[in-house]
């Protein structure tokens, strides 16, 4: 038995923290450089509302088609990813009596707009390795009401598109790809966002390509393009770009909503997209390094990446906790101990969708009196397992500047592994308060 040196004592118990770097450890989005700020200033005094799709709005859409290897024909900007998803669901015919199948554990906005269209959401389990919709669960959930399947390329890992597309073809389903975590991800060499009937990328500030607030819908389907455009872009843009003459009749009013992107946000997004390739490469180096350093930490199940995919933006790094390797230590205590070591770590904030009131309700609260099927909480599912065991770490983006910090993170994980028994004893002492009655 070796005795614990002063430096190796858990910081939770008064030892020296393993991580000395000042916080914050994750700084995102990065500050704008001089060129971006100059473009913003110029745009401010040129045009702060673009009615059609000229200027930075058009330029951003063209940049995006380029980013997707020109495998999609249309890109239409929106004021958020959520708005773009609403437009996608509307364009694909979601309405009362129509079900959309989606993953049980993801960010809610991937599916919540369905309720605004009076549609219903059916949740299917995820594959615990990719964290994306499990194709077997998808197939088991299909009914005669199913019209759309939504995949989310969760944390940057592409969904199993071959199998999803095969199931969609066999049952006549439309496919929505939510690529909000997966800018730059590729499946068998081809960019995500180019497989579905419609795909959406959020450009919200936390995303790998950010406008601040914004989203973009891409499609190869003229009908989807026309209906999505009419939903969010009345007047000039609908008059100039809706291809179907009968639909174009509605150009003055569109379909009643205005969901377009501000040109100032488009300027920010163009700079973020231009900076993306270097940042993507840096994320790969950082997270690969972290993955190698913590591969042998017995209480962590590392993040795995399938052979035929590219993780693109690596939106989040979320290994799973294996509690059996630290008996008596639950995830909350592990997080407390890691935080005491100086780590920015937590449990991911998105719960299983079936536990949220909007999904669990048996009435659509947007349209009182309209029945919907309550989504189950899916106890015992892979979604529940991932929700309850994942650890959320910073997505390091600066290479090599972040290398020493990454090495401190790895050192903190290894220190907890060495001090696991100590941590378990602490948990035991905590569980029995000093003044608890004996027996
Ligand atoms: C961020 C996000 C959205 C919503 O995008 P906003 O631009 O914030 O409206 C939808 N789906 C997923 C998976 C997201 O991460």
């Amino acid at each position: 038995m070796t005795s614990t040196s002063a430096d190796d004592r858990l910081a939770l118990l008064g030892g020296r923290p393993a991580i000395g770097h000042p916080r914050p450890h994750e700084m995102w989005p990065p500050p704008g450089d001089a060129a971006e700020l100059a473009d913003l200033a110029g745009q401010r005094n040129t045009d702060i509302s673009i009615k059609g799709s000229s200027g930075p709005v058009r330029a951003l859409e063209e940049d995006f088609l380029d980013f997707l290897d020109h495998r999609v024909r249309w890109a239409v900007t929106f004021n958020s990813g959520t708005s773009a998803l609403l437009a996608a669901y509307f364009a694909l015919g979601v309405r009362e009596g129509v079900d959309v199948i989606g993953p049980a554990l993801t960010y809610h906005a991937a599916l919540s707009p369905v309720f605004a269209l009076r549609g219903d959401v059916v949740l299917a389990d995820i594959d615990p390795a990719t964290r994306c919709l499990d194709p077997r669960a998808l197939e088991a959930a299909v009914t005669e009401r199913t019209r759309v399947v939504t995949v989310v390329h969760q944390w940057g890992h592409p969904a199993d598109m071959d199998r999803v597309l095969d199931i969609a073809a066999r049952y006549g389903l439309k496919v929505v790809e939510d690529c909000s975590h997966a800018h730059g991800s590729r499946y068998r060499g081809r960019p995500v966002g180019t497989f579905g009937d419609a795909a959406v990328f959020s450009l919200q500030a936390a995303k790998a390509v950010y406008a601040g607030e914004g989203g973009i819908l891409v499609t190869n389907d003229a009908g989807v393009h026309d209906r999505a455009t009419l939903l969010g872009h009345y007047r000039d843009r609908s008059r100039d770009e809706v291809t179907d003459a009968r639909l174009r009749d509605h150009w003055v009013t569109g379909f009643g909503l205005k969901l377009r992107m501000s040109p100032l946000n488009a300027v920010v997004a163009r700079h973020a997209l231009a900076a993306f390739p270097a940042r993507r490469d840096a994320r790969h180096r950082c997270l690969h390094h972290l993955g190698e350093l913590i591969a042998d930490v017995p209480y962590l199940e590392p993040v795995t990446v399938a052979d035929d995919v590219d993780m693109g933006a690596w939106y989040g790094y979320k290994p799973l906790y294996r509690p059996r390797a630290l008996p008596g230590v639950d995830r909350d205590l592990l997080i407390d101990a890691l935080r005491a070591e100086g780590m920015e770590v937590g449990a991911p904030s998105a719960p299983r969708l079936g536990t949220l009131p909007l999904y669990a309700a048996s009435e659509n609260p947007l349209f009182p009196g309209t029945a919907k099927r309550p989504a189950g909480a899916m106890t015992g599912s892979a979604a529940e397992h991932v929700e309850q065991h994942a650890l959320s770490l910073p997505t390091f983006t600066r290479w090599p500047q972040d290398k020493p910090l990454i090495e401190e993170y790895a050192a903190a994980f290894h220190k907890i592994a060495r001090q696991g028994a100590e941590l378990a004893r602490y948990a035991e002492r905590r569980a029995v308060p000093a003044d608890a009655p004996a027996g």
Side-chain angles (χ1 to χ4, degrees), residues 25-42:
H25 297 161
E26 181 168 11
M27 276 165 279
W28 198 265
D33 62 12
E36 177 181 342
L37 298 180
D39 277 355
L40 276 169

Side-chain angles (χ1 to χ4, degrees), residues 204-276:
Q204 187 268 342
K207 307 296 157 75
V209 176
Y210 48 82
E213 297 290 355
I216 195 156
L217 177 150
V218 298
T219 184
N220 268 319
D221 183 315
V224 170
H225 163 265
D226 286 356
R227 286 165 59 80
T229 300
L230 277 165
L231 190 76
H233 306 257
Y234 54 58
R235 292 196 63 90
D236 299 30
R237 185 160 187 166
S238 284
R239 179 195 63 211
D240 296 342
E241 297 180 18
V242 170
T243 63
D244 180 289
R246 274 185 43 218
L247 286 174
R248 198 164 54 238
D249 278 348
H250 296 286
W251 69 273
V252 173
T253 53
F255 289 148
L257 301 179
K258 183 179 159 195
L259 307 171
R260 71 185 185 226
M261 180 183 274
S262 146
L264 296 175
N265 291 108
V267 169
V268 173
R270 289 197 72 204
H271 282 271
L273 192 58
F276 177 75

Side-chain angles (χ1 to χ4, degrees), residues 2 19 28 30 70 72 114 137 148 169 216 227 234 247 249 285 290 300 305 308-309 322-323 340 354 367 398 415 425:
T2 55
I19 299 170
W28 198 265
H70 293 276
V72 281
V114 167
V148 175
I216 195 156
R227 286 165 59 80
Y234 54 58
L247 286 174
D249 278 348
R285 284 169 175 255
L290 177 64
L300 290 182
V305 180
D308 52 357
V309 310
R322 284 191 185 119
F367 304 102
R398 296 162 302 185
K415 178 177 172 185
R425 277 194 290 280

Side-chain angles (χ1 to χ4, degrees), residues 79-83 85 106-111 152 154 178-181 200-204 207 213-215 315:
N79 56 13
S80 72
T82 307
S83 295
L85 282 154
T106 190
Y107 186 61
H108 80 87
L111 293 160
V152 180
Q154 189 75 17
D178 183 341
C179 305
S180 300
H181 290 185
V200 165
F201 294 77
S202 167
L203 303 174
Q204 187 268 342
K207 307 296 157 75
E213 297 290 355
Y315 181 63

